[in-house]
Amino acid sequence: MARNNELWLSGNEAIALGAFEAGVKVASGYPGTPSTEILENLSKYEGVYTEWAPNEKVGIEVAIGSSFAGVRVLSTMKHVGMNVAADPLFTASYTGGRAGLVIINADDPEMHSSQNEQDNRNYAFAAKVPMLEPSDPAEAKEFVKLAFDISEEFDVPVIVRTTTRIAHVKGLVAEGEMLKSGVEPGIEKMPAKFVMLPGNARNRRKVIAERQQKLETFAETFAYNKIEMADVKIGIITSGISYLYVKEAFPEASVLKLGMVYPFPKLMISDFASKVDELFIVEELDPFIETHVKAMGIKCTGKEIVPAIGELNSFILKKAFQKESPALFSPEELPLRPPNMCAGCPHRGLFYSLKKLKVFVSGDIGCYTLGFLPPLSAMDSCVCMGASIGIAHGMEKALGLEAKGKVVAVLGDSTFFHSGLTGLVNVVYNKGCSTVVILDNRITGMTGHQHNPASGQTLMGEPTHSIDIKNLCHALGVKHVVEVNPHHLGETETALKEAIEFDGPSVVITKSPCVLLPEEKRRVKQPYTIDPKSCTGCKSCLRLGCPALNWVPVTEQQARELGFKEKQKGYTRISEMCNGCGQCAQLCKFEAITRAGEESA
Amino acid sequence: MKAAGNILFCGVGGQGILLASEVTAYALLEEGLDAKKSEVHGMAQRGGSVVANLRFGAKVYSPLIDPGQADYVVAFEMMEAARYLPFMHPGTKVVVNTHTIAPPVVATGNAIYPDRLIDLIEANGIYVLPVNGFEIAKGVGEIRAANIALVGALSAYLPVAEETFVKVMKDKLPAKILDLNLKAFAAGRKAALA
């Protein structure tokens, strides 16, 4: 869509375009909301190799390799992925590279789809690497291109930080010119720079300190650190999405907008502070800019009035600054609508069975984390990607025989490859007896269907070897490995019981594809129906929490009219959402649930 | 009509809210306006309460609509319309799909789906247009076209020509589903102008 030759792009689409225009040839990352669509979009550009790495650490390592080989490279991840990738990141700061290395880090203030709310600007400070922070899709594209130039000029990985309100905001973006790296691709041996043994690293540490000085000088003239002078009564230092909220709430204020949030343009900040009557810092999450400004001995107000939790918006800012805002309608008390596993989701059958067994379920990150919610309520912990197995093992080691058969780890196929593998290796090696359930739905579900090492296809759409999870577990030394279809509730329960009772580590692989996969959506469904005459209103089927099942309450009179027993309070109805998985029919003792066309008993 | 405004789309994950907001955004851009749209992906899309913010005008800064600042609300589900009451103001125009989807607590028989939701919004002096998007969509032969029927109803209030919407749909929608969506759009628009 063009408007004055502009494109209407999301921040993530704009970043992909920026990487393409910057001459990126390789990109590696791991899907994670809100970063996922960057690589999906970049994979569509001609001449760019893109891949899903099994985790973010591998993604950055691949990026370091491409940079060493003299090729511009992008690595993408969400904020918690940066924790996984921190090890190579901190040393990549020491090695630098040859061609530009840019890392996109997507933070999720407000935790729309995350397990914590961390402010990854702190990583730039800790790893001593520059960080750029765009305010909208147009800047996101521009900043990615600038980041490659900075990376090569200063021999440093550069992080571009987005947040949900950049990544998943759409705005107008102009196409730009194609750039090229000044570095020639090829193998060049530079051991003093690339081999980080203590002797070399100590030398590099000094180089990093000099680089830091140079970057601070550069920040003073960086075109996207800019002062917009207006009314001098209020001066606001801000960056990223917060800049837009400031412009909306205080169009009259003077603003210093930091396009580079680390390192800081200290002279510019002092100069701006001296020109305004009162200085404020407006930033989401941590007092990152504020702490550094205060450390410079400059008086300012920040988190004293601006919330440090969750997203900001112009309304919150007006309130914080005690600016008048209109009266609002008060919210109504309504039933909440949390997310839920889809109708026909194979995970539901597993969690139903786990609940019956009353075990402690050590969970993990994915769609299946929703097994925590009622009525299934069958997840008892969830910490980070791959943690389920380590936590189960830790509980068993802490409690000894007391925990035997009472703890089960649950994680998805993609999460298993991300960082569950090492947890399972640990269980086998250290003589644990955990039961691990791997929910193999052939795809990375929650982020919207990215392929993984078990799904048989690459990000570029090429067929590839599909790693056999069962054989892999055997190879690691797990003696009891079984596969089961989680839609078959009885078999699933039996498989779980046998695995739990097995003396030693055991793995149950639940195999059934995600119902949202295109081939599953195309499949002709045979939906189920409920015969109200046979339904006794026992609510057994409702314990699945399937969105296709709805309780219909009836009054005493309606019950009489419908021919129900006097005390029957209602019946279940199956909506058009039914996927025909048949889990509910297995729970109905009265044979009221049948496939369309089949006879009710 | 003022050529600036805030449109809040809300409903349940999976109802086609992103496509509806996308078609509307393209129509506004086609009219030469600036626009920004904010969505939330990931976990919330799994059947949860979903919202998209679309702001338009000569120049748009923030992608988020502040409480009390939504000029138009397009609700794909009745209860979701009421949930966003604090984002409305007395002049807000609300297009509501009369379709209901029970949230888990209601579907499992542990709460009652609230009734008189439209009255509740109107009691605040807000204009509400109920649209049976489901019936319109069934009428054109594809229940998934309810989202475009609601865009049709919304279009009656926006500073955008009908032909602009039609052009945008022709440009953006796959040929296979274009015809039925054009019909759904027209039926929705007619419902608003009736």
Side-chain angles (χ1 to χ4, degrees):
Chain A
M1 176 78 192
R3 193 198 73 151
N4 306 328
N5 300 319
E6 286 171 312
L7 304 166
W8 167 253
L9 301 179
S10 72
N12 283 345
E13 290 166 335
I15 287 169
L17 177 60
F20 175 68
E21 288 181 356
V24 160
K25 293 282 172 275
V26 176
S28 182
Y30 185 79
T33 313
S35 71
T36 312
E37 300 84 359
I38 300 169
L39 289 193
E40 290 180 325
N41 280 284
L42 190 52
S43 73
K44 295 174 195 158
Y45 287 98
E46 198 69 38
V48 185
Y49 169 80
T50 55
E51 64 173 29
W52 289 127
N55 66 30
E56 297 84 355
K57 176 177 184 288
V58 176
I60 283 199
E61 288 157 356
V62 169
I64 294 169
S66 296
S67 172
F68 283 1
V71 169
R72 284 193 166 185
V73 60
L74 189 78
S75 186
T76 68
M77 62 204 60
K78 71 181 292 175
H79 61 303
V80 286
M82 185 65 88
N83 302 334
V84 178
D87 199 358
L89 169 74
F90 276 57
T91 302
S93 172
Y94 277 49
T95 63
R98 293 217 300 123
L101 194 176
V102 172
I103 299 156
I104 310 292
N105 166 89
D107 282 9
D108 187 17
E110 201 71 42
M111 296 172 272
H112 295 285
S113 192
S114 304
Q115 64 270 36
N116 76 21
E117 183 182 63
Q118 61 190 49
D119 188 333
N120 278 8
R121 292 177 301 172
N122 294 299
Y123 271 112
F125 173 73
K128 301 177 180 64
V129 298
M131 177 180 272
L132 307 185
E133 192 181 22
S135 295
D136 60 17
E139 275 194 357
K141 195 206 79 165
E142 214 46 50
F143 282 22
V144 168
K145 294 172 84 174
L146 290 166
F148 278 100
D149 289 341
I150 295 169
S151 175
E152 286 177 8
E153 185 181 342
F154 295 93
D155 190 16
V156 63
V158 177
I159 304 175
V160 176
R161 176 198 187 230
T162 68
T163 58
T164 302
R165 301 300 179 184
I166 308 289
H168 291 159
V169 159
K170 296 191 95 170
L172 291 166
V173 180
E175 280 183 297
E177 55 174 329
M178 293 294 296
L179 306 178
K180 218 176 148 257
S181 168
V183 179
E184 279 302 311
I187 291 177
E188 209 169 307
K189 296 194 177 184
M190 308 167 87
K193 184 167 139 60
F194 290 167
V195 184
M196 281 306 101
L197 283 167
N200 286 341
R202 280 186 210 110
N203 288 332
R204 289 296 295 173
R205 179 65 188 84
K206 291 176 213 142
V207 176
I208 304 314
E210 286 162 27
R211 181 181 75 196
Q212 191 72 4
Q213 288 290 328
K214 287 180 195 154
L215 280 164
E216 281 183 22
T217 309
F218 172 78
E220 301 289 354
T221 55
F222 179 57
Y224 287 87
N225 286 336
K226 55 184 172 196
I227 293 175
E228 296 168 357
M229 285 313 289
D231 186 351
V232 296
K233 277 210 273 309
I234 289 182
I236 299 173
I237 303 179
T238 185
S239 71
I241 190 68
S242 303
Y243 165 76
L244 297 180
Y245 303 146
V246 164
K247 292 299 277 184
E248 199 79 39
F250 314 108
E252 71 288 352
S254 292
V255 176
L256 166 52
K257 178 188 191 294
L258 295 178
M260 184 188 278
V261 285
Y262 190 78
F264 296 95
K266 289 181 182 162
L267 295 175
M268 199 180 219
I269 290 171
S270 307
D271 177 49
F272 180 70
S274 71
K275 284 183 182 152
V276 297
D277 297 348
E278 210 179 343
L279 184 66
F280 294 89
I281 315 291
V282 174
E283 54 191 328
E284 273 180 346
L285 307 183
D286 292 348
F288 184 73
I289 301 171
E290 182 184 339
T291 303
H292 289 87
V293 170
K294 282 183 172 161
M296 288 165 64
I298 296 171
K299 196 168 162 281
C300 63
T301 305
K303 293 299 167 187
E304 295 89 343
I305 59 168
V306 179
I309 300 172
E311 290 183 316
L312 299 178
N313 58 40
S314 48
F315 182 80
I316 293 170
L317 291 184
K318 283 179 199 161
K319 271 210 324 207
F321 282 73
Q322 295 181 313
K323 221 176 135 169
E324 261 190 65
S325 48
L328 299 179
F329 297 125
S330 5
E332 289 297 324
E333 283 231 6
L334 297 167
L336 293 176
R337 192 188 297 277
N340 189 5
M341 286 183 262
C342 304
C345 176
H347 301 333
R348 184 171 283 110
L350 170 73
F351 285 105
Y352 181 82
S353 304
L354 283 170
K355 188 180 188 183
K356 272 182 86 181
L357 296 176
K358 296 193 172 69
V359 287
F360 183 100
V361 179
S362 170
D364 224 302
I365 309 285
C367 281
Y368 48 87
T369 317
L370 297 171
F372 156 76
L373 291 167
L376 291 166
S377 307
M379 187 170 289
D380 303 291
S381 68
C382 170
V383 176
C384 69
M385 290 286 287
S388 54
I389 303 177
I391 288 169
H393 179 73
M395 289 180 75
E396 282 166 349
K397 288 294 175 189
L399 299 172
L401 284 176
E402 201 189 311
K404 174 70 190 149
K406 292 180 190 157
V407 183
V408 171
V410 165
L411 78 174
D413 47 349
S414 190
T415 308
F416 178 63
F417 287 111
H418 178 283
S419 48
L421 258 170
T422 40
L424 188 56
V425 167
N426 185 50
V427 171
V428 174
Y429 168 55
N430 285 309
K431 303 174 154 220
C433 60
S434 299
T435 296
V436 177
V437 183
I438 301 171
L439 290 71
D440 182 8
N441 62 355
R442 313 310 293 170
I443 205 75
T444 315
M446 178 65 87
T447 44
H449 291 168
Q450 291 70 35
H451 288 283
N452 69 49
S455 61
Q457 198 180 313
T458 69
L459 171 57
M460 313 269 297
E462 290 163 358
T464 182
H465 178 74
S466 157
I467 296 176
D468 185 319
I469 297 175
K470 189 176 180 185
N471 282 338
L472 175 61
C473 293
H474 275 308
L476 292 179
V478 181
K479 299 278 190 299
H480 183 93
V481 186
V482 291
E483 291 177 339
V484 68
N485 180 346
H487 288 305
H488 300 159
L489 302 178
E491 288 169 31
T492 303
E493 194 179 328
T494 307
L496 287 171
K497 276 186 186 153
E498 283 171 6
I500 287 166
E501 279 159 20
F502 183 79
D503 188 18
S506 56
V507 170
V508 175
I509 304 165
T510 61
K511 279 184 92 92
S512 186
C514 173
V515 291
L516 295 182
L517 283 171
E519 56 269 34
E520 281 300 301
K521 280 181 148 175
R522 277 196 299 271
R523 190 171 56 80
V524 180
K525 313 290 191 316
Q526 285 183 285
Y528 282 78
T529 53
I530 296 188
D531 177 11
K533 285 197 212 74
S534 308
C535 178
T536 64
C538 75
K539 291 188 176 179
S540 285
C541 55
L542 294 175
R543 288 189 301 214
L544 287 167
C546 175
L549 300 177
N550 284 287
W551 176 250
V552 187
V554 295
T555 60
E556 269 182 46
Q557 193 192 332
Q558 286 169 322
R560 274 195 299 276
E561 283 167 15
L562 286 162
F564 291 160
K565 281 189 185 140
E566 208 175 303
K567 293 249 167 72
Q568 188 165 335
K569 297 267 186 270
Y571 63 96
T572 304
R573 187 166 56 202
I574 298 184
S575 77
E576 73 286 348
M577 289 167 87
C578 177
N579 247 313
C581 76
Q583 291 180 27
C584 57
Q586 296 168 53
L587 294 180
C588 184
K589 292 195 186 87
F590 306 96
E591 296 180 26
I593 305 179
T594 53
R595 271 192 205 279
E598 288 172 14
E599 277 299 301
S600 145
Chain B
M1 277 183 280
K2 65 172 182 170
N6 300 322
I7 313 172
L8 190 136
F9 296 83
C10 57
V12 180
Q15 282 192 297
I17 292 167
L18 296 188
L19 179 69
S21 59
E22 194 72 353
V23 166
T24 310
Y26 276 123
L28 291 161
L29 294 171
E30 190 71 30
E31 293 284 347
L33 292 157
D34 186 21
K36 275 208 179 92
K37 181 167 80 126
S38 186
E39 310 162 350
V40 171
H41 298 199
M43 188 176 262
Q45 283 179 305
R46 300 279 170 269
S49 186
V50 170
V51 63
N53 293 247
L54 175 57
R55 304 190 65 220
F56 64 94
K59 163 79 185 160
V60 176
Y61 285 109
S62 168
L64 293 181
I65 300 169
D66 280 348
Q69 299 295 319
D71 303 304
Y72 314 90
V73 170
V74 185
F76 286 58
E77 201 274 348
M78 288 230 284
M79 194 164 73
E80 295 311 305
R83 202 184 298 285
Y84 288 93
L85 188 59
F87 281 82
M88 302 174 195
H89 57 75
T92 303
K93 294 203 164 41
V94 184
V95 174
V96 184
N97 187 8
T98 50
H99 188 56
T100 63
I101 300 175
V105 65
V106 172
T108 52
N110 294 311
I112 305 283
Y113 191 94
D115 59 357
R116 306 176 67 83
L117 285 163
I118 290 177
D119 296 352
L120 187 150
I121 301 169
E122 282 179 332
N124 293 287
I126 296 166
Y127 177 77
V128 180
L129 174 75
V131 175
N132 194 332
F134 191 74
E135 279 305 313
I136 293 177
K138 240 168 59 183
V140 303
E142 172 54 80
I143 54 168
R144 279 179 294 183
N147 57 348
I148 298 298
L150 294 174
V151 172
L154 168 72
S155 75
Y157 305 117
L158 293 179
V160 178
E162 183 178 4
E163 305 81 68
T164 309
F165 273 99
V166 171
K167 176 181 184 296
V168 161
M169 285 190 279
K170 283 181 176 163
D171 286 350
K172 293 293 159 195
L173 297 179
K176 222 167 52 181
I177 59 163
L178 175 63
D179 212 42
L180 59 96
N181 275 304
L182 287 175
K183 281 186 197 150
F185 177 87
R189 189 173 169 92
K190 203 175 133 199
L193 294 171

